[in-house]
Amino acid sequence: MKSFTYSLISIVLVVAIAVPLIHHIVWCINAASESGSAIALLIAGLIIPPVGWGHGVSLFFGATWI
């Protein structure tokens, strides 16, 4: 039972990290045609993952930073 719990926690942790980063990447690619700063934010979010993760989380709440 303990390994199942650890597996479940690992899956939840990976999803909690990956989903905002993926959302950040998709949003930046879509916004790149409208704004050059979206490309800069994409690069910053890929080089410094907490920036991309924070941007992805803020997108869920409606803030785009750009």
Side-chain angles (χ1 to χ4, degrees):
M1 187 68 174
K2 204 174 207 181
S3 71
F4 174 75
T5 303
Y6 290 148
S7 297
L8 188 61
I9 290 171
S10 297
I11 290 170
V12 168
L13 188 61
V14 167
V15 168
I17 292 170
V19 168
L21 278 174
I22 292 169
H23 191 61
H24 158 76
I25 292 167
V26 169
W27 183 88
C28 286
I29 290 171
N30 287 336
S33 64
E34 301 170 11
S35 171
S37 59
I39 296 170
L41 184 59
L42 175 63
I43 293 169
L46 293 175
I47 292 173
I48 308 168
V51 171
W53 186 84
H55 180 243
V57 170
S58 70
L59 287 172
F60 288 128
F61 295 108
T64 60
W65 297 1
I66 297 177

